[in-house]
Amino acid sequence: MRTVLFREIANLGIKPVECIEWATTVIKNKRNYVLPHKISIAYGDERFFNTMPSYIPEQNLFGVKIVSRIPGRSPVIKGDIMLYDTVSGDMKAFIDGTWITAWRTAAVAAVTVKKLKKENAKTISIVGLGNIARAFLMCVDSMENHKELDIHILAYKNQHEEFIERFKEYGNIRFTVHADIKEMFGISDVIVSCVTAATSLFSDDDSVYRPGVLVVPVQTRGFQNCDLTFDRIFCDDIPHISGFKYFKQYKSVTEMTDVLNDDGFHRGGVDRILAYNIGISIQDIYFASKILERIEDCKEERKFWV
């Protein structure tokens, strides 16, 4: 059994384009996997532990991800992943899920934006400027082949300044900083929220969201009023959102695996779309398996000394 820590994964030099490829593969092949409901325990001030098993038959691989949110911890949201060989029953690896959680989430969001944004979309707004937002923008930049990007962010403490500094060498990315979130949303073609916890709506007036807008709430909250008014809802797994308050009142709900496998998919130019791709453990398990393969390929034979 192998233990794989964060630094070992980070040192592999995995590129955004690889994360996008892995995320796309999992989304397209979702129906080939076994994905039970997650078990969630919530307590205290927005604290939780989620246990999420998954099975990839063609790889003889079973995995479990345990993700927790603990305010004050760094990172606030943390995951641990265990991989098992389903033939031998042996545990293959215990893998730190911090890197995987950030990049898997970002890559899935980027694939979602690429597929569901309207054809002439120009402005992308990002709320919550942590690691997932950084990884998301790097994935989008890669998917768009480094063309000019018009990115709008909200001024909050010094986070917006640090975010811009992180991308100072990306000459193709133009940032606009806003003091008012409704103003920012009002000019946005795509809105991505990477806020780890939202206790209220970002805007109680859904008319602020323009026709054709795509909203991707990575952490699900803050846009619940849009559930009842947006034209179409997309998700990575219907059972995982079936407990949402307004689920039975959705006008339309479609899984992303159906979108990626439909060459004739058309999103509608004026449809307002909400994409609840909240993350399913099979994505993490697949990423972990690819990382374990990479680590094993990189192993060096070392001389044995007594």
Side-chain angles (χ1 to χ4, degrees):
M1 191 272 289
R2 181 73 185 267
T3 298
V4 182
L5 302 180
F6 171 83
R7 183 51 54 190
E8 191 171 5
I9 301 173
N11 287 339
L12 289 174
I14 298 169
K15 301 183 183 305
V17 66
E18 296 175 272
C19 294
I20 293 163
E21 178 185 339
W22 296 346
T24 301
T25 297
V26 179
I27 296 170
K28 291 191 72 171
N29 295 306
K30 182 220 170 208
R31 303 213 189 282
N32 297 333
Y33 311 136
V34 179
L35 182 67
H37 283 289
K38 68 180 177 182
I39 299 173
S40 182
I41 297 176
Y43 64 100
D45 54 338
E46 296 289 336
R47 297 169 182 254
F48 63 75
F49 279 87
N50 292 338
T51 304
M52 301 171 285
S54 296
Y55 172 40
I56 306 179
E58 64 264 30
Q59 293 186 20
N60 296 319
L61 184 68
F62 172 78
V64 179
K65 180 182 181 184
I66 298 178
V67 61
S68 59
R69 183 183 191 278
I70 309 295
R73 182 181 65 185
S74 182
V76 173
I77 294 180
K78 186 178 186 300
D80 299 305
I81 298 169
M82 293 172 282
L83 298 182
Y84 293 84
D85 185 316
T86 59
V87 175
S88 67
D90 293 335
M91 187 175 186
K92 293 166 64 73
F94 176 85
I95 302 177
D96 181 276
T98 306
W99 189 98
I100 293 173
T101 298
W103 279 97
R104 178 272 296 168
T105 305
V108 170
V111 171
T112 301
V113 168
K114 180 70 173 178
K115 194 65 180 180
L116 296 183
K117 69 179 181 179
K118 65 181 182 181
E119 187 175 349
N120 60 343
K122 295 180 180 179
T123 57
I124 300 177
S125 289
I126 304 175
V127 183
L129 303 177
N131 279 329
I132 292 176
R134 294 182 180 199
F136 164 75
L137 186 50
M138 292 171 71
C139 286
V140 169
D141 177 60
S142 179
M143 292 190 78
E144 296 294 340
N145 295 315
H146 316 294
K147 76 176 187 181
E148 289 189 4
L149 296 173
D150 186 11
I151 305 299
H152 295 248
I153 57 178
L154 192 67
Y156 180 71
K157 298 181 179 179
N158 65 335
Q159 290 183 4
H160 57 291
E161 296 170 350
E162 293 177 350
F163 195 77
I164 293 172
E165 176 67 17
R166 172 62 182 83
F167 291 94
K168 65 180 180 181
E169 296 180 2
Y170 289 66
N172 61 309
I173 300 179
R174 181 172 66 105
F175 288 102
T176 302
V177 179
H178 296 260
D180 183 86
I181 195 167
K182 291 184 180 181
E183 172 194 273
M184 183 174 74
F185 284 177
I187 53 88
S188 301
D189 296 316
V190 176
I191 299 169
V192 177
S193 171
C194 299
V195 175
T196 59
T199 58
S200 61
L201 298 175
F202 287 114
S203 173
D204 54 9
D205 177 10
D206 85 309
S207 66
V208 74
Y209 303 105
R210 66 200 305 188
V213 70
L214 167 65
V215 176
V216 184
V218 173
Q219 303 297 343
T220 77
R221 299 185 182 182
F223 300 93
Q224 292 92 328
N225 55 323
C226 299
D227 288 10
L228 299 174
T229 58
F230 273 36
D231 301 288
R232 305 180 73 178
I233 308 289
F234 291 82
C235 65
D236 40 27
D237 184 67
I238 288 177
H240 277 71
I241 68 167
S242 61
F244 284 13
K245 182 177 181 180
Y246 299 116
F247 175 78
K248 293 183 179 180
Q249 296 170 260
Y250 289 169
K251 295 180 181 179
S252 167
V253 59
T254 307
E255 289 191 352
M256 284 299 297
T257 187
D258 295 324
V259 174
L260 264 61
N261 285 297
D262 180 5
D263 293 334
F265 171 78
H266 178 65
R267 62 94 72 206
V270 297
D271 286 347
R272 295 193 298 178
I273 291 177
L274 196 58
Y276 279 129
N277 285 349
I278 62 177
I280 49 180
S281 63
I282 196 67
Q283 297 161 352
D284 300 271
I285 301 308
Y286 187 85
F287 268 56
S289 71
K290 302 303 285 186
I291 287 169
L292 188 60
E293 290 175 7
R294 181 75 60 86
I295 288 173
E296 291 176 343
D297 288 344
C298 292
K299 282 194 301 187
E300 297 180 0
E301 293 294 329
R302 297 186 179 182
K303 184 176 178 62
F304 173 68
W305 293 93
V306 174

